[in-house]
Amino acid sequence: EPEVTQTPSHQVTQMGQEVILRCVPISNHLYFYWYRQILGQKVEFLVSFYNNEISEKSEIFDDQFSVERPDGSNFTLKIRSTKLEDSAMYFCASSTRLAGSETQYFGPGTRLLVL
Amino acid sequence: RKEVEQDPGPFNVPEGATVAFNCTYSNSASQSFFWYRQDCRKEPKLLMSVYSSGNEDGRFTAQLNRASQYISLLIRDSKLSDSATYLCAVGAFSGGYNKLIFGAGTRLAVHP
């Protein structure tokens, strides 16, 4: 069964450093998402991406965040200057279509720890 | 009012028990509804989509009540392996794009 994959599984970084989280969505999916989950809290939407542009972003997704699809398979989330509060699990998700009943499939996540 | 609210749990039940999870959502324009299962420190995994007519998959039954803005999940004959956190998710579809709004989750612990 096709899966969303993410690398790295864990990332430890110093505050102020840039990190890039990588995702390979399911191959025939066209819509991509990033979510995050701070330890002990709920899963929160960050951004959705379609046709090489951001379609929606949350208040969390400020100027420090950016997303890119640099080639036909990868989808990346960059945090330019990490803060302590960016420590969380980051999940990538993908789906086949937009209509109300489309299903999003999640990758295994990258656990980011900012020291 | 929170966008998606769930029973806080945890639910501790013996094997074989029937357990019900409830979820309410605030946006009446929501069009898609899901139950995900999340094991500790893992990704949400889709359990079921939820339709107005209700749907069943083996021991799992999901119901949607649009008038009351309420979603439920029933697990019959619970197994030890059902122990997990159950997340209600509502698709906020607007302007042609969709995002999932998750509830905080309800933890289920099934014991022998």
Side-chain angles (χ1 to χ4, degrees):
Chain A
E1 186 178 312
E3 295 179 330
V4 177
T5 59
Q6 290 185 242
T7 54
S9 58
H10 294 78
Q11 173 103 41
V12 181
T13 190
Q14 295 290 325
M15 191 169 58
Q17 295 296 302
E18 174 183 286
V19 295
I20 297 176
L21 310 184
R22 292 183 167 79
C23 169
V24 178
I26 294 172
S27 62
N28 66 338
H29 286 189
L30 299 176
Y31 308 97
F32 314 117
Y33 309 85
W34 283 101
Y35 292 82
R36 81 169 186 192
Q37 187 175 31
I38 294 171
L39 189 63
Q41 297 187 23
K42 65 178 183 178
V43 177
E44 301 174 287
F45 168 79
L46 291 178
V47 66
S48 57
F49 190 88
Y50 169 68
N51 201 25
N52 284 320
E53 57 183 33
I54 290 173
S55 32
E56 186 175 356
K57 57 185 180 181
S58 71
E59 291 176 357
I60 304 166
F61 195 90
D62 62 22
D63 291 344
Q64 294 301 311
F65 290 87
S66 61
V67 288
E68 196 177 37
R69 189 157 161 80
D71 54 43
S73 59
N74 289 287
F75 178 50
T76 62
L77 174 69
K78 182 194 289 187
I79 309 175
R80 249 180 289 280
S81 178
T82 49
K83 303 190 279 283
L84 296 176
E85 55 265 36
D86 293 328
S87 295
M89 191 75 149
Y90 288 81
F91 295 111
C92 174
S94 68
S95 66
T96 53
R97 61 188 179 96
L98 285 174
S101 62
E102 126 255 355
T103 299
Q104 294 181 25
Y105 294 91
F106 284 74
T110 294
R111 186 169 298 281
L112 176 66
L113 178 60
V114 182
L115 302 175
Chain B
R1 183 180 172 184
K2 291 181 187 172
E3 289 184 277
V4 179
E5 283 198 82
Q6 294 186 243
D7 290 341
F11 289 9
N12 292 295
V13 302
E15 274 185 290
T18 296
V19 60
F21 301 123
N22 303 315
C23 173
T24 57
Y25 60 95
S26 61
N27 185 351
S28 59
S30 302
Q31 296 185 22
S32 56
F33 309 91
F34 307 91
W35 283 101
Y36 281 81
R37 170 198 167 120
Q38 187 174 34
D39 293 290
C40 189
R41 296 177 177 261
K42 302 282 190 181
E43 75 274 25
K45 291 200 171 183
L46 180 71
L47 188 63
M48 303 178 79
S49 301
V50 190
Y51 305 113
S52 296
S53 53
N55 46 307
E56 187 172 315
D57 183 3
R59 298 182 293 110
F60 300 85
T61 301
Q63 297 276 354
L64 166 64
N65 184 323
R66 283 188 186 271
S68 302
Q69 295 179 208
Y70 171 91
I71 307 157
S72 65
L73 175 70
L74 188 76
I75 305 177
R76 289 181 298 278
D77 188 24
S78 37
K79 313 287 185 197
L80 295 176
S81 57
D82 293 333
S83 298
T85 297
Y86 290 82
L87 309 179
C88 172
V90 175
F93 185 73
S94 66
Y97 302 101
N98 206 10
K99 66 184 181 189
L100 292 178
I101 308 296
F102 283 88
T106 304
R107 200 153 63 87
L108 172 66
V110 182
H111 58 81

